[in-house]
Structures are given as structure tokens and as C-alpha cells.
Amino acid sequence: MTGQNPEAPAPVSSKDHGPEGTASTKQSAGSRQGALLPAQQDPEVGFEHSDELDNDQMKQLAASGNAHFHRLGWKRLAIVTIVEAVALGALSLPKAYDTLGMFPGVFLTIMLGFIAIFTSYIVGQVKLKYPEAASYADAGRLLLGRFGYELFGAAMVLELVMVVGSHALTGSIALGDLNNGHVCSVAFSAISAIILLVLAIPPSFTEVAILGYIDFVSIIVAIGITIIATGIQATNSEHGLKGVDWRTMPKEGLSFSEAFVAVSNIIFAFSFAIGQFSFMDEMHTPTDYMKSIWASGTIQICIYTLTGALCYAFIGSNVLAPALLSAGPTISKVAFGVALPVIFISGSINSTVALRYIHGRIWKKSIVRYVNTPQGWFWWISLVTVFTIIAWIIAEAIPIFSDLLSLASALFVSGFSFWIPAVMWFYLLCEGPWFSRKNILISLGSILAFIVGIVTLGAGTYATIKDIIDQTTHGDTHRPFACRPLPTVGNATAGH
């Protein structure tokens, strides 16, 4: 780019589409060959089919609304993808390292991180070739027609609504820890849901990225506090750092399901591809997307590896999940207080990804989709409210919600982040024989990503179902809308 502000919006014509099914002028100009094939085009699915956009005033509103949704630069995209993926779940990785051992944990974190960067590259190439693909649901339509659109859309919404519910529960854990458990966890989860609702009101990822900077600083400081505190504790212990009982390799007697639950925690930490179509749809220069993917992926690998390795090395086999609970009651309160923006901002971005798809689908041919009119704001805020309430009810009402979230992640994230991009390479992008010189490296990488995704799908589903059976058999579940005790050794958990 010559002399152009990397965050400045490109000129947009009123003929461009809106937030759902959008494409910037730069996208459309060079991607005519990427338009949906006749067999992939479906009847309109929106509820609004008016001719209101023929009005000159409405055309001006549409043009300004469309321009508003094409202001995202690669730096803010990097922040959004980091925030969407990294939350308190990063502090669950030391526990995964305790199960797998230091070497396998570090190796898997780095390897899976680079595979996630690779599959995100493929997703971005699909978006550039098919600029009409405004969400992962549209990618499903490219692969399987209308059936794929409905299937991928439902899977994406179901996964994201459960992730938002998980953030509400994690918020209740944090607030309960700060309050020493004097208030019922249900009240705190309801307060968390209200905060998630408010933070999801901005409809544009450009505005969300501003909150993302706060989120990013918050998680770095919270992780830093945890690492420093646990390091000081280990140094001041009776035998010092040498007395910490961490292992290089997996512990003895490790069951398959236990091992794969730990592996799944690492796999699901790199789940930013689920929102990539939606994020790229707002970029003013979509071809810059790999800058953000490299920045985001590299930062995530560093955060996860350092957090997992250092906390495990300082705490050892007594590490909790999240690891900040192992830093002592006072430090955990400080870390939880600092991490509150992470819990709520990261959760709200997941709401925005799902709601941009839902809202754009409902108002596909209406000015309402631009959320720059009273009616647009009414429907957007209404959808945010309904979505957040549903997420909160699911999280509180289902006794095995944590396992259900793991099951959904095994079923859906394994596809969105790994094996579906591999399929998209062979079906939508690969030109000529897959084994030709120009295709062989990407094809082999896609085969590896496909294997990782399918293994995660099968083994993750098996491990989670087995855990569900064990919990329901032994009665180790909570009652719906009941006050939960604060996490302690053996039952501490963290959300996404």
C-alpha cells in the first residue's frame, strides 16, 4: 500500500452488499471468477424482501452503513482474532501439560499452532476467491449447497452460544472468588451475562477491536501475575525450584480419554478460524489478512507455550485449572480482578460473530442490516438480548454443561479449525493435480490438518461421552440454577 493509512476505509459503492453477504469494492473487482456457481446459489433466506433500497435516501444510508462495516485493518483484525481465541482457557494449559508431560505439551502446542495458522491461510484464500462468503455458513453453501449453509450455520451458532454461556459461568467463578463465595454463583453468572450483553452491542468488529486492546493487555497482565507469583512461591519453597514435581513425559497409568481431554484443551485453544470469514468481511484491504494471521497465530503460540510451561514448572502436579487458582487466595483475587475484561470482552466477540450471521440473514434485503437506523438498532439489540439470555439459560440449566461444551467443540471446532479448511483446499482452491509441484506442499499440509481434525472429532467425542457417562453414573453433577461452590483442588475449571 502506497501512502495509505492501513486502518483507513476504502471507498465503498452503494451497490455493494451489507454486513451479511458483504464484499468490499476491492474484493469484488478481482474476484469475479469467485462468484457463487449457479448450483450454489439459493433462494433468498431473509425475512425482508422490500424495495426500500430503491429510495435515494435509503441508498445513502446503505452506502454509509456499508462503509461503516469495511473499516477493519489487519492490525485490528489480529487483535480481534487473538481476543476471540485467548481467554482464561490459556491458564488451563498448565493442567494439560501436567497430564501430557512437559515435552509433549510444548511440542503439541507449537505444532497445532502452526497447523491452525496454515488452515487459516486456506480459509482466507477461500474468502478472497469467493468474497460473497460472509460467514462460515456461506462456506458450507460453497461445499454442500443449501444443506451445507443450514448445517454450518446451525453448528456455528450452537458452538458460539455455548461458548458465551461458558464465559458467563467463568465470570461467576471470578466474581465469586473476589467475593469469597458470599453471593450465590447464579447471581454472579446473571451479572456476567448482563455484562456480556452490553459489550456485544457494538455491531462492527472495528469497534470491538478497541475493546480488544484492553482485553489483550488484561490477559497478558493476568498471566504475568500468575507466572511471577507461582515462580516466587516455588523459589521460596523448602526445596526451591528443584523440589517442584513436574514431569517431562506423560504420567504413568494415563488413560486414553484423560490424555485426549488434555490434548483437546490445546486444540481448542486455536479456534480462531470459526470467525475468520466474518472478520475478513469487514476488512478494507482483505489481501492483508495473512499479516494478521501470522501476528495472531505467533502471539497465541508464545502465550500458550510460555503459560503452560512456566506455570507447570513452577507449580508441578498440584496445578489447578485455571492456574491462577494455584497462586494463593490473595494473588488469585488480584489475577481474577485483572482478568475480568478477558472473560467478558472475549465472550462478547463470540456473540457478535454469531449475531452478525443471524441478523444479516434475517434482514438480508433490508436497510435494517446496516444497524444505522432506529429499526436496525432495535432489532440488533433485541437479538443480542435474546442470544445472551439463551446462552445463560443453557449454561445454568444443563447439569453437564461443561462436558456438553467439550462435546460441541469436539464436533464443531475440529471441523471449523482443521478438517473443513483441508476439504476446502481440495474442493474449492486446488487447480490441477493435488500432487503437482505447485500444489504438493499445501496438499500435504491439508492432509495433515484433515487427520488432526478427524482424530479430534472421533477421539474427542468418545472421551467426552465417556466422561458424561461417568459423571451421570456417579452423580457428580450440579442441579439446574443451583449455587455452585468455588473451585478448589480437583474441581477447578476454566471457560474458553
Side-chain angles (χ1 to χ4, degrees):
M1 295 173 61
T2 57
Q4 182 178 348
N5 182 349
E7 300 293 335
V12 181
S13 167
S14 62
K15 295 181 181 180
D16 289 332
H17 301 293
E20 166 68 14
T22 60
S24 68
T25 305
K26 292 184 179 182
Q27 282 176 300
S28 301
S31 308
R32 299 298 182 191
Q33 76 278 11
L36 292 176
L37 300 175
Q40 295 166 331
Q41 292 176 340
D42 296 316
E44 299 293 348
V45 294
F47 296 164
E48 178 67 47
H49 298 277
S50 71
D51 59 355
E52 60 187 17
L53 295 184
D54 292 335
N55 181 284
D56 288 340
Q57 182 180 3
M58 290 299 180
K59 284 182 179 180
Q60 292 178 1
L61 278 172
S64 63
N66 193 47
H68 183 77
F69 283 95
H70 286 107
R71 300 179 298 137
L72 191 64
W74 73 265
K75 295 176 184 177
R76 288 191 178 184
L77 174 60
I79 288 295
V80 170
T81 52
I82 291 171
V83 170
E84 191 265 342
V86 180
L88 281 189
L91 287 165
S92 296
L93 293 186
K95 186 66 175 177
Y97 281 26
D98 177 48
T99 301
L100 300 171
M102 182 72 80
F103 176 75
V106 171
F107 174 77
L108 285 171
T109 302
I110 296 174
M111 183 192 73
L112 291 169
F114 279 110
I115 293 176
I117 291 174
F118 170 75
T119 54
S120 292
Y121 163 77
I122 294 177
V123 169
Q125 289 298 304
V126 173
K127 173 61 180 173
L128 293 180
K129 186 175 181 180
Y130 300 92
E132 295 83 1
S135 68
Y136 228 120
D138 291 321
R141 176 158 47 193
L142 291 170
L143 292 172
L144 299 170
R146 179 62 179 271
F147 172 76
Y149 180 77
E150 301 295 348
L151 178 64
F152 282 36
M156 180 179 70
V157 172
L158 180 59
E159 169 67 17
L160 292 175
V161 75
M162 295 184 71
V163 168
V164 174
S166 173
H167 279 265
L169 291 186
T170 306
S172 72
I173 292 174
L175 294 174
D177 185 79
L178 293 171
N179 185 255
N180 292 320
H182 293 153
V183 175
C184 177
S185 62
V186 177
F188 275 142
S189 69
I191 293 171
S192 298
I194 293 172
I195 297 172
L196 288 166
L197 188 160
V198 172
L199 292 176
I201 289 177
S204 168
F205 294 117
T206 306
E207 282 97 16
V208 170
I210 298 173
L211 295 174
Y213 289 109
I214 301 172
D215 184 295
F216 182 69
V217 172
S218 174
I219 189 62
I220 294 298
V221 174
I223 289 174
I225 290 172
T226 303
I227 292 175
I228 292 171
T230 54
I232 292 173
Q233 287 180 358
T235 303
N236 294 335
S237 63
E238 183 178 354
H239 299 288
L241 291 174
K242 294 182 179 179
V244 181
D245 59 337
W246 60 272
R247 295 179 303 275
T248 303
M249 301 305 290
K251 62 183 181 181
E252 296 181 5
L254 183 64
S255 67
F256 172 80
S257 60
E258 187 180 3
F260 205 82
V261 166
V263 174
S264 297
N265 283 336
I266 300 174
I267 291 174
F268 300 149
F270 295 102
S271 60
F272 53 92
I274 190 172
Q276 190 174 333
F277 282 106
S278 303
F279 299 151
M280 285 185 64
D281 204 55
E282 274 200 25
M283 293 188 74
H284 57 68
T285 311
T287 51
D288 283 346
Y289 82 98
M290 271 312 294
K291 296 178 183 178
S292 66
I293 296 303
W294 275 115
S296 173
T298 304
I299 290 171
Q300 287 183 54
I301 291 172
C302 292
I303 290 175
Y304 294 147
T305 305
L306 291 174
T307 303
L310 291 176
C311 286
Y312 180 46
F314 292 152
I315 302 169
S317 60
N318 293 323
V319 64
L320 303 179
L324 58 81
L325 290 171
S326 300
T330 302
I331 297 298
S332 71
K333 284 180 170 57
V334 174
F336 262 134
V338 172
L340 285 177
V342 180
I343 299 169
F344 300 124
I345 296 174
S346 295
S348 66
I349 289 180
N350 289 282
S351 296
T352 305
V353 172
L355 291 167
R356 284 285 297 277
Y357 159 69
I358 297 171
H359 186 267
R361 174 174 176 160
I362 294 174
W363 303 106
K364 194 177 184 74
K365 299 189 69 176
S366 170
I367 193 69
V368 171
R369 73 181 182 270
Y370 296 112
V371 198
N372 61 347
T373 62
Q375 187 182 12
W377 277 110
F378 171 79
W379 284 109
W380 174 259
I381 294 174
S382 297
L383 281 174
V384 172
T385 303
V386 171
F387 184 86
T388 308
I389 290 174
I390 291 174
W392 177 72
I393 290 175
I394 290 174
E396 283 291 345
I398 300 177
I400 54 170
F401 173 77
S402 178
D403 282 305
L404 198 61
L405 176 62
S406 297
L407 179 61
S409 296
L411 293 172
F412 304 141
V413 175
S414 61
F416 291 138
S417 295
F418 294 99
W419 68 263
I420 293 176
V423 172
M424 289 194 292
W425 159 252
F426 289 106
Y427 186 73
L428 301 175
L429 297 176
C430 186
E431 297 178 356
W434 68 269
F435 48 82
S436 64
R437 178 177 295 182
K438 69 174 183 178
N439 293 328
I440 186 65
L441 289 179
I442 298 181
S443 296
L444 291 176
S446 298
I447 291 171
L448 176 60
F450 183 83
I451 292 172
V452 170
I454 292 300
V455 169
T456 304
L457 173 63
T461 302
Y462 164 79
T464 305
I465 290 177
K466 183 178 182 301
D467 194 51
I468 291 174
I469 293 173
D470 290 343
Q471 284 202 37
T472 53
T473 301
H474 299 118
D476 187 19
T477 59
H478 72 273
R479 291 181 293 108
F481 298 99
C483 299
R484 296 181 178 86
L486 284 176
T488 56
V489 176
N491 70 357
T493 58
H496 166 73

